[in-house]
Amino acid sequence: MPILKSLGMADSKVPRAGTLPLRSSRNPFEEVSGLEEEEAAELGALPNGTSCRRRATLEKLAGLSPFRLGKTPGRQAGSPRDGQPRSFLGRVLLPGIRRSSADFGLLARLQGSRAQGDEEAAGEAARRLAFLRLGRGPKPLRASLAERVVPAGEAAPEPPPKVPEPPKVKEPLSVLEILSLIQQRELARADEHILELEAEELAASGGGAPGPPKAEGAGGGRRARDVALLYEALQREMWALVRETLAGPGLGAGSGAGAVAQLGQVLVQEEAADGRRGPEAARKLRARWAEAVARAARERLEAAAPGAPGGLAGQLEALRGRLLEDMGVVRGRLAPSYPAGLGAFGTYLRGYHGALAEWIGAAARRRLPLADRYALLHWHNQVYPREVLGLVDMVALENGELGPLLSPGTLRGLEDECVTDVKAQTRAALLRVLQEDGEHWGSTEDWSSNLAQDVCELLEEHTERAPRISQEFGERMAHCCLGGLAEFLQSFQQRVERFHENPGVRELPPDTYISRTISLVNCGPPLRALAERLARVGPPESEPAREAAASALDRVIRLCHRILTDLLFQELQPHFSKLMRRKWLNSSEALDGIVGTLGAKALALRRMQDEPYQALVAELHRRALVEYVRPLFRGRLRCGSARTRSRVAGRLREDAAQLERLFRRLESQASWLDAVVPRLAEVLRLEDTPSIQMEVGVLVRDYPDIRQKHVATLLDIRGLRHTAARQEILAVTRDLELCEVAALSPPRDRAFFADIPVPRPPVCLSLPLFLGRLTLSRLACLPWPRPPAPSPLRRPQARR
C-alpha cells in the first residue's frame, strides 16, 4: 500500500476500510505497462532512436511525463511546481534530471491526443472516489492521543518540539517548460531558469565564460544550443511586446503593465549577468531593447505618414500627431512600468527621434518642390522643437539633449536650393507682371494698375516665411529678394522712360495721360518701403542693392513729376506772361487765373499717394514762385520814383499772400518759399542804404543760391546805378559769396534763384578814361572810321 500511494494509485485502485472491495485481479504495474504498450504502438520510436514505450513508461512512473502539459498559465499539468518534491519513484530513479529540447516535435504531435486522454481518466477517477465515500459514510470523531493517555484532572504534558523540516530543493524546469513560460510571457521567471541552465552549461564545459553557442561542428553541446534557442524565443517575445505596447492599451495578449514590468526585470537581470559574463560574452539585451524600440518607432511613423493628405506638409503634421500620441502612451503607461534605472522614457524618445531623423533625411534627399522644401525646413527648425520636444520631459534624457534631425550640411543645402529657386522664379514672375501691366499703359480704357501690389506679394511670400525658419535663412532670403527687386526696378524705370518718350502717348486724352502717370508714381512708395525693409533684415552686403532700387525709383518719380509739372505750367503760361506789366499793377486778373487753374488741377493730383504728392506739391510751389519772379528779373518794370517802387512792393506782397494761402490749402510743406517774394519787395521799397544792405544780407542767408547778378538786377529795377550806395550793397553780396557756407550749393529741392536767368547788363565804357590809358602808338593801331565817299553829283538834265 505505501508503494501504491507513492505511485499516486491508492484512491483509484485500493478501497479504504469500511467500503466495498473492488474486484481487480490485475497488477497496477502491468496495467500501466499495458497502457504504455498501446501508446507506444501508436507513437513509434522517438527522434533519438529510443523506444517510445520504454521512455514514456519510465517517465510516467517518475511523474515527469512531458506529454501531460496542461493549459494553466506558467506551468504544465503533469509537472510539479517549483519547490514541490516529485513522487517517490521519480526521486529514486530520476533525481534532478532536466529534460532537454529533443521532444519539441514530439510534444507538438502528441499534446492534443494526450490532453483528451488525461481528461477522460480524471473524470473516471473522480466518479470512483465519490462512490467509495458514499459507501463508507461519515468519519467518526476520535479522541486525541493526549486525552486517552492523560487522566482527568491532570495537566497535559507539553508537546515535543517540532523538528524543522529540511529545505525543499528547487527542482529545475525542463526546456519545454521554460519555453512554455516564454510563450505565456512570464518572461522574468523564464529568464531566471535560462540563467540557471546557462550556469549548468558553464559548469559542464569546465568554467569557461558563457556566451553565444558555437556551431555544432565546432563542438557546441546540446545544452548550449538549448540556451541559444531559449534566448532567441525570449527576445522574440520581448520585441513583440515592445511593438504591441506602443499600439495602445488592450492590444495583444499579455501586453499590459505586468508584462512590461517583467520585460524590464529581464533587462535588469541580463545586465547583471553581463557583468559576470565579461565584455566579450555579454549578450547586451539592453542595447538590443533600444534597437527594438527604434524599429517599432520606425514602423509606427511609416504607417502614419503615407496616408496623410496635403503632400509633405500633411505628412509632417501626421508625424507630429503620431509622435505626441505615442509619447503620451510612453509617459503615462509604459515608462512607469519599467524599472527606474533603465531610463525607459529617454530610450523611447531617442528611438522615435532616430526614426524621425531617418524619415526626414530620406525626404530631404528627394527632389522636392519649393513649397515642400519650405515646409520641411519650418517643421525641422520650429514645429518639432516647439510642439514636440517642448511638450516632453527633456530632463528624462540621460545623455543631455538630442542631436539635430538633419546635419548642418543638409540644412545648408536645402536653404541654398530654396534661394536659387526663389531667385529664378521671382525674376521670371516679376518680368511677366511688368509685361502684363505695361500693355495697359497706352490704352484708353479705364484701368487701375496693381503692379506694386503684385510685386510685393510675390516677394513677401518668401521674405515672411524665411525668417520664421531661422534668422540666418531670413537674412539670406531678404538679400536675394532685394537683388531681384533692384533688377526689376531698373527694368521698370526703362519701360517708364520708353512710355513717356513714345510720340503716340501724347495723343492720349490729357486726363488719361495724367491718370497713367499718377498710377506709375503710386508704385513708388510701396516698392521703396519693401526695399528699405529688406535692407534692414538683410546683411550689410544688401546696401548696394538698396541704393540701386532707390535710385531707380527716384528717377521714375522725378520723370513723372516733371511731366505733370510741365503739362500744368503749359496751361498756366499765358497767365504768367501778363505779370510785371503796367496792367498787372492795376489788375489781379493774371494772378487769379494762376490760382484758379492750380486749385482745379490739384484735385486730380490728390489721387497720388502722400509721399509723392507732397514732393509734387512742393515742386509746384517752387515752380510757381520761380515763374512769378522770373518776369521781374527780366527788367519789365523800372521803378525810378519812390512812389512807383512802393506800388510795386505792395503788389508783390499781396500776390505772395494769395499764393501762400493757395499752397497751404494744397498742403505744401515748402514753407521756406513763403518769404522770397516779400524779401524782394522790401529791397525795392526801402530807401536808406543800411536797411537795404541788411535786407540783402537776410536774402542771401535764406537763399544761398542767389548771386550778385540777381542783386544788381534788383538795384537796376529800382534805378540805383553807378553810385557809391550800389557798390556798398553789392559788397555785402560779394562778402557772403566768399564765405565757405555760402559757397556750398543748396540741394536741388531748395534751389530757387538758380533757375532764374538774369539778362547780361550793357557794357558802358568811360571814353576819356579809356583813351587816357592808351598810348599814342596804340591809338594809331585802332581802326579809325573812314569818312564816307562823296556821292557823285547828278547832272541836271537839259530841257527839251
Side-chain angles (χ1 to χ4, degrees), residues 460-770:
E460 287 174 354
E461 178 184 0
H462 307 288
T463 58
E464 291 179 359
R465 296 183 66 176
R468 291 198 293 263
I469 295 174
S470 67
Q471 181 180 359
E472 180 183 0
F473 185 49
E475 293 178 358
R476 296 182 61 196
M477 187 60 66
H479 180 64
C480 169
C481 292
L482 182 57
L485 179 62
E487 294 180 3
F488 165 77
L489 290 178
Q490 291 175 0
S491 302
F492 175 64
Q493 173 201 342
Q494 296 172 2
R495 193 175 186 92
V496 170
E497 291 174 351
R498 289 195 301 269
F499 168 72
H500 288 296
E501 292 172 359
N502 185 9
V505 175
R506 301 291 181 176
E507 300 178 359
L508 292 173
D511 294 340
T512 302
Y513 184 59
I514 292 175
S515 178
R516 296 289 186 270
T517 306
I518 292 175
S519 298
L520 296 177
V521 172
N522 286 337
C523 295
L527 295 179
R528 187 187 302 274
L530 177 60
E532 295 291 339
R533 186 167 62 254
L534 294 179
R536 288 194 302 268
V537 175
E541 299 83 37
S542 303
E543 187 61 23
R546 186 200 66 80
E547 293 178 354
S551 176
L553 286 175
D554 291 340
R555 291 192 185 97
V556 170
I557 293 176
R558 282 199 301 266
L559 174 62
C560 294
H561 282 178
R562 182 174 58 81
I563 290 174
L564 292 175
T565 305
D566 291 344
L567 289 175
L568 180 58
F569 279 90
Q570 284 179 6
E571 189 173 351
L572 292 174
Q573 190 60 38
H575 300 287
F576 283 111
S577 62
K578 298 177 182 180
L579 297 176
M580 307 302 167
R581 298 182 182 275
R582 294 294 178 181
K583 188 178 180 180
W584 165 75
L585 286 174
N586 302 320
S587 174
S588 62
E589 177 185 357
L591 190 64
D592 292 341
I594 293 172
V595 173
T597 304
L598 282 173
K601 296 299 181 181
L603 296 177
L605 300 178
R606 201 64 187 86
R607 293 177 298 171
M608 198 176 296
Q609 295 193 16
D610 289 339
E611 182 181 353
Y613 175 76
Q614 295 294 336
L616 178 60
V617 170
E619 177 61 21
L620 290 177
H621 193 175
R622 189 192 70 84
R623 181 80 175 269
L625 291 180
V626 167
E627 296 297 330
Y628 179 85
V629 174
R630 191 191 302 271
L632 179 64
F633 282 92
R634 286 179 180 174
R636 290 182 180 179
L637 290 176
R638 287 292 183 268
C639 306
S641 63
R643 180 174 176 273
T644 306
R645 289 195 294 269
S646 178
R647 289 181 61 191
V648 171
R651 189 64 186 174
L652 289 175
R653 283 194 297 268
E654 292 177 4
D655 291 352
Q658 191 172 356
L659 291 173
E660 181 180 355
R661 289 191 298 269
L662 169 66
F663 286 104
R664 186 175 300 172
R665 188 170 66 251
L666 297 180
E667 301 177 1
S668 173
Q669 303 296 327
S671 58
W672 61 278
L673 293 169
D674 295 337
V676 61
V677 176
R679 298 290 183 194
L680 297 177
E682 287 298 312
V683 172
L684 295 177
R685 185 186 64 84
L686 294 175
E687 296 297 335
D688 56 316
T689 302
S691 299
I692 296 175
Q693 286 180 325
M694 184 177 297
E695 197 65 33
V696 169
V698 173
L699 187 64
V700 174
R701 181 198 64 190
D702 294 341
Y703 303 96
D705 60 335
I706 193 172
R707 294 294 177 261
Q708 186 177 356
K709 59 184 179 179
H710 296 100
V711 178
T713 302
L714 287 176
L715 297 179
D716 291 341
I717 292 172
R718 61 171 293 133
L720 190 61
R721 295 175 178 271
H722 309 297
T723 61
R726 178 186 179 93
Q727 299 301 324
E728 293 177 2
I729 296 172
L730 293 177
V732 174
T733 307
R734 285 194 300 268
D735 294 342
L736 292 176
E737 286 181 357
L738 295 177
C739 294
E740 182 179 1
V741 177
L744 296 176
S745 61
R748 182 68 183 85
D749 56 348
R750 302 279 293 185
F752 183 83
F753 289 97
D755 293 339
I756 300 176
V758 176
R760 300 182 65 179
V763 177
C764 299
L765 296 177
S766 179
L767 187 58
L769 179 62
F770 175 74

Side-chain angles (χ1 to χ4, degrees), residues 242-303:
V242 169
R243 290 193 301 271
E244 294 171 7
T245 52
L246 281 175
L251 299 179
S255 61
V260 176
Q262 290 201 40
L263 189 150
Q265 186 62 30
V266 170
L267 296 176
V268 172
Q269 294 172 178
E270 287 295 329
E271 193 169 14
D274 284 344
R276 298 189 298 269
R277 294 185 183 115
E280 296 182 357
R283 297 188 181 273
K284 302 177 181 178
L285 285 190
R286 185 170 179 179
R288 297 183 182 180
W289 166 61
E291 295 174 358
V293 169
R295 287 195 300 270
R298 188 182 307 112
E299 294 173 0
R300 294 279 294 168
L301 295 181
E302 290 177 353

Side-chain angles (χ1 to χ4, degrees), residues 59-75:
E59 292 182 346
K60 269 182 176 279
L61 291 176
L64 302 174
S65 174
F67 310 122
R68 297 184 180 273
L69 298 177
K71 301 298 183 180
T72 57
R75 297 294 302 171

Side-chain angles (χ1 to χ4, degrees), residues 765-780 782 784:
L765 296 177
S766 179
L767 187 58
L769 179 62
F770 175 74
L771 292 178
R773 293 180 180 179
L774 293 178
T775 61
L776 294 177
S777 60
R778 291 183 179 179
L779 288 175
L782 290 176
W784 292 93

Side-chain angles (χ1 to χ4, degrees), residues 356-369:
L356 183 62
E358 294 180 5
W359 193 95
I360 290 187
R365 287 189 292 272
R366 298 197 301 266
R367 179 60 183 174
L368 299 174

